[in-house]
Amino acid sequence: MSQEDHTIGRKGDAVAGAAAGPSQRPLVAVLILNWEIWRNTLECLRSLEGITYPKQNVGIFVIDNGSQNDSVSVLRNQLNAMRTQGWRDLALVENSENIGFARGNNAGYTRIPPEYELVYLSNDDIVFYEDCLEHVAEAFARYESAGVVGAKVLTYDAPHVLSHGAGYVRPLLLGTRSENTETPTYCHFVTGCALCIRRSVVEQLGTFFDPAFIAYWEDTDLCARVRAAGYGILYCPEARVLHKVSTSTGGIEGLISPVRAYRIMHGKTLYARKHLSLLSRGLFYALFAVRFPWFVLRTTVLGGRGAPVLWGAYLRGVRDGVSTRLDE
């Protein structure tokens, strides 16, 4: 796997510190991972053009994860068009292949200059409210124990509907729940589609995302590692984004796709190995085994002959999650 780093434009340090206000604001690096769907990434970038946070304090780092279409040329043109807007950095990182969400973002993280204090992770299908970064930076200033701040994620097609808020993990079967609150709240995790982390915390952890994860649960794992290091995970409802929540699973009607099923179970199993006690981990495996026959029955009714593919995906996810090497 090779990478190319194209720095499209950069504001110098003297310009960044010219005004007293911006010079006192933390530098924020925004990471956006693109794979094939450049139209989403374009809308995300264009929403950033309207932010109220000083642009000379913001760097945008777009990572293309081996797209086989015209994503790279389209996104390079967009970043070139943004050169005159005063951004501190505009960069396009090209991965030669699709290396997954966790490793793809890790590749982008390594391209961020050391002076950035905050790293904001954004999905490509996110649209920013203009004051989102303002509230995130303010939350970090007010809550010194917070290592991560997460935004209120609202549904793109129905902005009054919460997509993700303060996240909590239930140890049995590793279920999760999301809550909205009126004020900033410490929780177990926030979603990786709109997550900001202190650069100093990443350096203390030694790695951004654990590369053992493919997609799903890598953000929950990151938050668990941040909490274990003594920092809090803060949900900030004032910071808002819109998320294009998928209405189609790509699988049998009423069921998730086998690829997604595999990745979810792979991520859950890795998380269980890393963060659950021996007793809780044993209960996780036992309850999965007990509930699997019910899962087979349900998917047979809904999916008919296509259901066995889904069964195999779940089982392979657990198997590979158990056998995947953990370097930490």
Side-chain angles (χ1 to χ4, degrees):
M1 186 274 295
S2 63
Q3 303 160 354
E4 294 183 26
D5 188 353
H6 302 279
T7 300
I8 309 297
R10 183 181 175 96
K11 294 292 287 183
D13 290 342
V15 175
S23 68
Q24 297 172 1
R25 303 285 193 93
L27 301 183
V28 182
V30 180
L31 284 180
I32 306 170
L33 185 69
N34 176 80
W35 184 68
E36 304 285 356
I37 311 177
W38 55 260
R39 289 178 178 83
N40 281 344
T41 309
L42 274 184
E43 186 172 6
C44 180
L45 289 171
R46 287 168 179 166
S47 72
L48 282 166
E49 291 181 294
I51 62 172
T52 57
Y53 200 78
K55 290 184 174 66
Q56 60 263 49
N57 288 48
V58 179
I60 299 176
F61 300 82
V62 179
I63 311 107
D64 184 74
N65 223 7
S67 296
Q68 298 301 304
N69 58 9
D70 54 352
S71 285
V72 169
S73 61
V74 170
L75 296 176
R76 184 183 292 117
N77 288 339
Q78 174 63 25
L79 292 173
N80 277 326
M82 297 169 67
R83 287 184 63 184
T84 61
Q85 296 173 5
W87 302 95
R88 184 178 181 86
D89 282 295
L90 294 169
L92 178 62
V93 178
E94 298 176 39
N95 293 330
S96 61
E97 59 183 321
N98 185 357
I99 54 176
F101 184 84
R103 293 173 62 204
N105 278 295
N106 284 354
Y109 178 83
T110 64
R111 298 302 192 268
I112 300 173
E115 65 264 27
Y116 283 89
E117 300 164 66
L118 303 177
V119 178
Y120 192 107
L121 182 71
S122 173
N123 272 18
D124 58 347
D125 58 354
I126 287 292
V127 173
F128 285 80
Y129 279 73
E130 64 180 13
D131 58 355
C132 179
L133 294 187
E134 294 275 3
H135 288 295
V136 168
E138 180 185 352
F140 275 115
R142 288 178 57 196
Y143 298 87
E144 295 183 359
S145 63
V148 164
V149 171
K152 175 189 284 188
V153 183
L154 301 167
T155 306
Y156 182 87
D157 293 325
H160 61 285
V161 176
L162 182 72
S163 175
H164 205 283
Y168 298 90
V169 179
R170 303 185 186 98
L172 296 182
L173 284 179
L174 290 183
T176 61
R177 60 184 173 87
S178 179
E179 292 183 2
N180 189 20
T181 60
E182 297 298 322
T183 58
T185 303
Y186 284 107
C187 56
H188 291 167
F189 74 98
V190 290
T191 177
C193 74
L195 175 157
C196 193
I197 187 169
R198 294 187 196 270
R199 180 71 171 276
S200 59
V201 173
V202 179
E203 297 305 309
Q204 182 176 335
L205 295 177
T207 183
F208 191 29
F209 285 124
D210 183 341
F213 290 80
I214 304 170
Y216 297 104
W217 286 85
E218 71 290 316
D219 49 1
T220 315
D221 168 72
L222 174 62
C223 289
R225 290 189 288 124
V226 170
R227 292 173 65 210
Y231 300 93
I233 309 299
L234 186 73
Y235 167 59
C236 180
E238 296 90 355
R240 297 169 299 161
V241 298
L242 297 173
H243 186 205
K244 296 178 183 177
V245 181
S246 176
T247 57
S248 173
T249 62
I252 303 166
E253 185 176 356
L255 302 174
I256 65 175
S257 70
V259 171
R260 186 180 176 195
Y262 170 84
R263 290 177 175 177
I264 288 174
M265 290 312 302
H266 180 264
K268 275 191 177 187
T269 306
L270 284 178
Y271 184 91
R273 289 176 60 196
K274 291 185 65 176
H275 302 292
L276 295 187
S277 66
L278 183 60
L279 176 60
S280 295
R281 193 159 64 246
L283 287 173
F284 168 76
Y285 293 131
L287 286 173
F288 175 80
V290 168
R291 293 190 59 177
F292 190 73
W294 166 247
F295 170 76
V296 169
L297 177 62
R298 176 177 174 273
T299 52
T300 300
V301 172
L302 292 175
R305 294 181 178 179
V309 177
L310 198 55
W311 309 339
Y314 267 83
L315 292 174
R316 285 195 305 276
V318 175
R319 178 200 66 192
D320 292 352
V322 169
S323 62
T324 296
R325 176 180 173 179
L326 297 176
D327 292 328
E328 293 186 14

